[in-house]
Amino acid sequence: MRKERELGAAAWGFRELELEEQLRICRTLGFSSLELGIANAPGDLPADAGEARIREGSALYAQYGIGLWCAATGNDFTVEPAEIRGQIDKVKAVIAICRKAKIRYLRIFAGFSPAAEVTGERWERMIRAINEAADFAADQGVVLAIETHGGVNGYADGVEHFPSVTTDREALERLLKEIRPTVAFVFDPANLAAAGETDLPALYRLLEDRIGYMHLKNFVRLPSGHLDPAAVGGGIWDIPAFLSESESYSGPYLIEYEKTETIEAGCRASLAALEKWRRA
């Protein structure tokens, strides 16, 4: 990592903290921005937040000097037909909040079903949902950004990721052809590695022109074969090598340390590792 990059924080690891405490930690660590969680975790801003609550949240960001340009919500557009309208309407409600808060990017998901099962009408339904949400977002001045995220199985000692439509290379290539050109991506190399992808630079090149921002984290492999979330300093993928091979990227990096109980220490360790690589 030779070049200076804007460094912010992703929302997920902060999900158990009140917003003001999230912002305090971000200021202490020197982050320039924080992804705002909206209707993705119990402590998030809800999808039906009123004007006053939206203004209150924006004011807190300004008070702590933290940038509010991206938000993250949770959704799945690979669900069954009876559930899809609810997923679309939720994303649209969050888009409306982003417009009111002047948030540029909204991180969403395509879906968490195994890539091999998203075929035929299920694939077409997913594409229609993404494009309907993307058209609404464009009208609102918001950019949808799909995260490269596999499906996840949870275990007592960790997690297992499996390929979804955004971590399977053939599915991603097809997705790029069929979704609106206004849709961006949140590129998360650790998620790709966790789902079994070995050529991360190739996927970076595939999505390069569509990357809104990146999440940086890592996983360590446990004796069981399951994965445990970790700071960026070490794990299943070679971060320094990837950063060197993706130097054409000039956008922000958001640290996504996922363990809520050690969020501040994990972010601090991640920043230290990035600084070490930058100086190398």
Side-chain angles (χ1 to χ4, degrees), residues 129-186:
I130 293 171
N131 286 338
E132 181 178 338
D135 289 342
F136 182 76
D139 288 342
Q140 301 292 307
V142 176
V143 177
L144 291 189
I146 299 173
E147 183 169 348
T148 57
H149 199 304
V152 181
N153 292 321
Y155 299 91
D157 66 338
V159 297
E160 173 190 51
H161 283 226
F162 55 85
S164 71
V165 298
T166 56
T167 59
D168 175 85
R169 192 175 315 198
E170 288 186 8
L172 262 176
E173 290 172 349
R174 182 181 174 190
L175 195 69
L176 280 170
K177 296 175 183 177
E178 298 184 23
I179 60 175
R180 298 286 191 261
T182 56
V183 177
F185 285 84
V186 174

Side-chain angles (χ1 to χ4, degrees), residues 35 156 194 274:
E35 206 177 40
L274 288 172

Side-chain angles (χ1 to χ4, degrees), residues 52-277:
R53 188 159 181 189
I54 295 169
R55 286 195 301 270
E56 179 184 329
S58 297
L60 276 175
Y61 272 79
Q63 176 185 328
Y64 281 86
I66 302 297
L68 177 56
W69 55 265
C70 61
T73 196
N75 68 285
D76 190 336
F77 288 152
T78 62
V79 293
E80 296 303 313
E83 303 172 73
I84 193 69
R85 176 45 53 189
Q87 294 290 309
I88 296 169
D89 289 345
K90 175 191 174 180
V91 171
K92 285 185 172 182
V94 176
I95 290 167
I97 289 175
C98 290
R99 176 186 62 78
K100 293 172 184 176
K102 299 181 180 178
I103 294 169
R104 176 63 171 162
Y105 287 98
L106 172 62
R107 190 289 314 272
I108 66 166
F109 300 109
F112 299 102
S113 302
E117 296 179 7
V118 185
T119 60
E121 173 55 27
R122 194 174 190 184
W123 174 276
E124 298 301 330
R125 189 167 61 244
M126 176 192 70
I127 295 296
R128 288 194 299 269
I130 293 171
N131 286 338
E132 181 178 338
D135 289 342
F136 182 76
D139 288 342
Q140 301 292 307
V142 176
V143 177
L144 291 189
I146 299 173
E147 183 169 348
T148 57
H149 199 304
V152 181
N153 292 321
Y155 299 91
D157 66 338
V159 297
E160 173 190 51
H161 283 226
F162 55 85
S164 71
V165 298
T166 56
T167 59
D168 175 85
R169 192 175 315 198
E170 288 186 8
L172 262 176
E173 290 172 349
R174 182 181 174 190
L175 195 69
L176 280 170
K177 296 175 183 177
E178 298 184 23
I179 60 175
R180 298 286 191 261
T182 56
V183 177
F185 285 84
V186 174
F187 194 80
D188 190 315
N191 286 342
L192 292 164
E197 178 57 50
T198 57
D199 193 347
L200 300 180
L203 283 188
Y204 165 75
R205 291 189 295 272
L206 175 67
L207 299 177
E208 181 177 3
D209 295 337
R210 304 280 287 270
I211 297 172
Y213 58 98
M214 285 196 195
H215 280 171
L216 291 185
K217 61 172 179 281
N218 217 330
F219 295 96
V220 294
R221 195 169 300 281
L222 302 170
S224 65
H226 300 148
L227 301 174
D228 191 35
V232 301
I236 63 172
W237 67 287
D238 185 345
I239 299 176
F242 171 78
L243 295 179
S244 295
E245 293 170 322
S246 60
E247 285 218 333
S248 60
Y249 174 72
S250 60
Y253 294 128
L254 269 57
I255 302 298
E256 189 179 35
Y257 182 78
E258 296 189 347
K259 291 186 173 182
T260 58
E261 66 275 15
T262 52
I263 180 61
E264 186 167 355
C267 286
R268 194 181 298 277
S270 295
L271 288 169
L274 288 172
E275 178 62 16
K276 177 182 177 181
W277 297 331

Side-chain angles (χ1 to χ4, degrees), residues 16-35:
E16 293 184 358
L17 299 176
E18 294 294 327
L19 179 58
E20 187 162 7
E21 179 63 7
Q22 297 179 33
L23 292 166
R24 184 199 66 76
I25 292 172
C26 287
R27 185 173 67 180
T28 298
L29 295 176
F31 285 126
S32 62
S33 61
L34 170 66
E35 206 177 40

